[in-house]
């Protein structure tokens, strides 16, 4: 579709973008079909059906209904509205060949930056469980990727997987399977596909099969996911932890609670080792942890999206353990301890303190107040409380919407 290609027909002219976007944000105008140029077709950004309205701010995006416009606006359009004007409006002056080359380079640079923005936005909505809002960002990421890399590139696999995950969350299993098939086809055509993409592909096939109650196939796909993730990062790495988590969910769906608990324990242990500053590859405590202190992990390349995913995973495991083991079980306390370490890592000290306070209570009940592990948690609680006191903040800064 030439509308998304941006080959040699669009101009980067940011200085002309003087529309008061925020004043008109989310507003739509009805398309006058009689005034539409001959041969021009306006398709909905979300579903591809014939459009009836357009964005009143950029006037280059079209929708079949007001609902689809609002979904697109909330999902991604509010962040890229004026960038789309730059990409989709042709230049008013052709210019010299040098100007055309420079313009094309600028367009490509903008498209590449938007690929990352739209992809990260879609990922964040997926983690938050807002699957409908994840679709617009994933679609735009796919369109920009096609424009920059072409139809057969491996770069199309991440947006295909995002669209598959979104539709899985929405219960549109057939649509999800189609996107997974497209991702798989692109991978099969390339000999240099990395382990990370292969891991994500099989993880999503596993989730699809689980949703279809094809549990044996789900476990097989997730085992392949773990294999590729282990090749890339190691079997005890936090990047592999999500693979164990999804396998645990399949066992839970099969009413195999013991298996589910075992895999959930694996996930918690991996994150605890990382967050407490232990050696991630071997699990051997560092000098700090050997001396019964809990040091933060060294700097790593974990993204904000990965940390949000870890939070959601650990909180789900906590709820599962409380349901099956009871709120005072030691495994519940260890999960709270790990969540506290995660919130300390993200510098949300107030929430970390709340998790630590309940963890100390559980450890005192199960191990006694003088046990080394109880002392370890209590020492960290004191340390973080002193940090809060020095910061001069009143209270713990806990998110009132967050149940801990």
């Amino acid at each position: 579709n030439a509308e998304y290609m941006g080959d040699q027909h669009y101009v980067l002219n940011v200085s002309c973008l003087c529309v008061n976007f925020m004043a008109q944000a989310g507003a739509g105008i009805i398309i006058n079909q009689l005034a539409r140029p001959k041969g021009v077709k306006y398709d909905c950004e979300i579903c591809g059906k014939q459009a009836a309205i357009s964005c009143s701010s950029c006037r280059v995006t079209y929708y079949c209904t007001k609902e689809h416009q609002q979904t697109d606006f909330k999902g991604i359009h509010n962040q890229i509205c004026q960038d789309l004007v730059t990409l989709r409006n042709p230049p008013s002056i052709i210019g010299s060949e040098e100007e055309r080359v420079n313009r094309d380079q600028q367009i490509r640079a903008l498209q590449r930056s938007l690929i990352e923005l739209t992809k990260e936005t879609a990922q964040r909505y997926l983690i938050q469980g807002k699957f409908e809002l994840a679709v617009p960002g994933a679609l735009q990421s796919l369109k920009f990727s096609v424009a920059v890399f072409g139809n057969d590139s491996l770069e199309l696999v991440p947006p295909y997987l995002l669209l598959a995950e979104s539709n899985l969350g929405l219960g549109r299993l057939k649509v999800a399977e189609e996107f997974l098939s497209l991702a798989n086809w692109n991978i099969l055509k390339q000999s240099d596909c990395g382990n990370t993409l292969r891991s994500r592909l099989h993880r999503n096939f596993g989730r699809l099969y689980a949703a279809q109650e094809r549990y044996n196939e789900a476990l097989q796909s997730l085992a392949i996911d773990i294999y590729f993730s282990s090749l890339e990062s190691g079997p005890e790495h936090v990047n592999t932890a999500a693979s164990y988590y999804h396998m645990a969910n399949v066992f839970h769906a099969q009413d195999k609670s013991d298996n589910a608990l075992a895999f959930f324990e694996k996930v918690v242990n991996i994150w605890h080792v990382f967050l407490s500053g232990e050696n991630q590859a071997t699990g051997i405590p560092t000098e700090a942890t050997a001396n019964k202190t809990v040091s933060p992990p060294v700097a790593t390349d974990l993204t904000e999206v990965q940390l949000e995913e870890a939070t959601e995973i650990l909180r789900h495991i906590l709820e599962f353990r409380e349901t099956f083991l009871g709120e005072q079980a030691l495994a519940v306390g260890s999960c709270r301890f790990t969540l506290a370490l995660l919130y300390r890592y993200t510098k949300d000290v107030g929430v970390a303190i709340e998790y630590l306070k309940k963890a100390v209570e559980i450890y005192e009940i199960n191990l006694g107040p003088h046990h080394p592990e109880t002392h370890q948690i209590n020492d960290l609680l004191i340390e973080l409380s002193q940090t809060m006191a020095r910061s001069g903040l009143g209270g713990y800064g806990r998110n009132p919407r967050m149940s801990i």
Side-chain angles (χ1 to χ4, degrees):
N1 190 330
E3 187 174 6
Y4 307 119
M5 296 300 105
D7 285 333
Q8 295 181 359
H9 306 290
Y10 308 104
V11 60
L12 187 61
N13 190 9
V14 179
S15 61
C16 293
L17 304 179
C18 301
V19 179
N20 187 350
F21 172 62
M22 293 309 296
Q24 304 182 65
I29 56 175
I30 297 175
I31 297 172
N32 183 350
Q33 300 294 346
L34 296 177
R36 185 181 62 190
K38 186 177 181 180
V40 174
K41 184 182 178 183
Y42 299 131
D43 296 327
C44 178
E45 294 283 329
I46 299 298
C47 66
K49 295 180 180 178
Q50 182 176 341
I53 60 176
S54 68
C55 173
S56 63
S57 181
C58 66
R59 297 177 184 257
V60 296
T61 55
Y62 307 95
Y63 309 92
C64 61
T65 63
K66 184 68 176 177
E67 289 73 24
H68 276 188
Q69 187 204 0
Q70 288 298 321
T71 298
D72 189 43
F73 181 80
K74 294 176 182 177
I76 194 61
H77 191 72
N78 61 330
Q79 299 184 64
I80 65 173
C81 182
Q82 296 307 309
D83 290 318
L84 292 176
V85 176
T86 301
L87 294 173
R88 297 185 180 182
N89 275 341
S92 56
I93 301 174
I94 299 300
S96 66
E97 181 63 27
E98 182 180 355
E99 289 174 330
R100 292 178 186 177
V101 171
N102 289 336
R103 188 163 54 241
D104 289 344
Q105 290 175 345
Q106 291 175 312
I107 288 292
R108 285 289 183 266
L110 176 58
Q111 288 171 326
R112 287 176 181 271
S113 67
L114 291 177
I115 289 172
E116 295 305 314
L117 172 64
T118 52
K119 184 167 60 176
E120 289 177 6
T121 301
Q123 288 174 331
R124 185 167 289 109
Y125 280 129
L126 282 175
I127 291 169
Q128 295 171 356
K130 300 176 180 178
F131 305 112
E132 197 78 48
L133 294 181
V135 171
L139 284 171
Q140 291 294 348
S141 180
L142 178 60
K143 293 171 184 177
F144 294 136
S145 297
V146 170
V148 174
F149 302 107
N151 289 313
D152 297 326
S153 172
L154 280 173
E155 302 296 335
L156 272 60
V157 174
Y160 280 146
L161 294 178
L162 289 172
L163 287 164
E165 291 180 52
S166 302
N167 284 283
L168 275 173
L170 293 168
R172 302 168 184 164
L173 303 187
K174 192 159 188 64
V175 178
E177 190 166 12
E178 290 173 359
F179 280 117
L180 286 177
S181 296
L182 288 170
N184 190 37
W185 178 241
N186 272 39
I187 286 177
L188 289 174
K189 288 186 291 185
Q190 307 290 335
S191 60
D192 58 344
C193 179
N195 293 321
T196 299
L197 280 183
R198 295 182 188 276
S199 168
R200 285 190 59 198
L201 175 68
H202 287 285
R203 183 176 306 173
N204 280 286
F205 268 119
R207 294 179 61 204
L208 171 67
Y209 295 146
Q212 295 171 333
E213 299 185 359
R214 298 158 60 183
Y215 296 125
N216 289 335
E217 291 170 90
L219 291 173
Q220 183 177 8
S221 290
L222 290 169
I224 298 172
D225 162 29
I226 291 171
Y227 170 75
F228 282 116
S229 183
S230 298
L231 286 179
E232 182 67 22
S233 305
E236 305 298 321
H237 196 278
V238 292
N239 290 342
T240 310
S243 308
Y244 298 122
Y245 170 75
H246 289 295
M247 187 167 279
N249 285 331
V250 175
F251 284 125
H252 175 46
Q254 293 180 302
D255 292 325
K256 297 179 179 179
S257 299
D258 289 342
N259 291 14
L261 286 167
F263 274 86
F264 282 146
E265 182 178 5
K266 180 77 171 177
V267 176
V268 174
N269 287 344
I270 288 174
W271 275 103
H272 188 90
V273 167
F274 170 75
L275 293 166
S276 62
E278 298 175 10
N279 185 295
Q280 225 176 277
T282 64
I284 299 172
T286 62
E287 182 179 352
T289 54
N291 291 331
K292 299 300 179 182
T293 62
V294 184
S295 300
V298 295
T300 186
D301 58 353
L302 292 182
T303 66
E304 184 179 345
V305 171
Q306 286 177 298
L307 292 170
E308 288 182 11
E309 181 184 39
T311 303
E312 291 301 316
I313 286 175
L314 290 173
R315 291 186 66 200
H316 178 261
I317 293 173
L318 175 61
E319 292 173 5
F320 185 88
R321 285 180 167 181
E322 287 179 331
T323 300
F324 282 86
L325 303 176
E327 294 187 358
Q328 300 302 322
L330 186 59
V332 171
S334 69
C335 194
R336 287 189 174 278
F337 185 17
T338 304
L339 272 162
L341 295 175
L342 179 59
Y343 280 110
R344 180 187 66 167
Y345 181 86
T346 59
K347 303 189 186 305
D348 198 339
V349 177
V351 180
I353 288 173
E354 295 293 337
Y355 275 104
L356 284 172
K357 288 166 67 176
K358 292 191 176 182
V360 167
E361 294 175 6
I362 294 171
Y363 272 73
E364 286 179 346
I365 291 172
N366 287 274
L367 301 179
H370 304 298
H371 193 277
E373 291 184 36
T374 307
H375 277 300
Q376 184 184 34
I377 300 173
N378 200 48
D379 289 345
L380 181 59
L381 176 60
I382 294 171
E383 175 191 330
L384 295 185
S385 298
Q386 291 173 343
T387 299
M388 287 291 291
R390 287 194 299 270
S391 70
L393 295 175
Y396 294 116
R398 178 168 64 87
N399 185 340
R401 295 174 296 177
M402 183 176 294
S403 172
I404 63 173

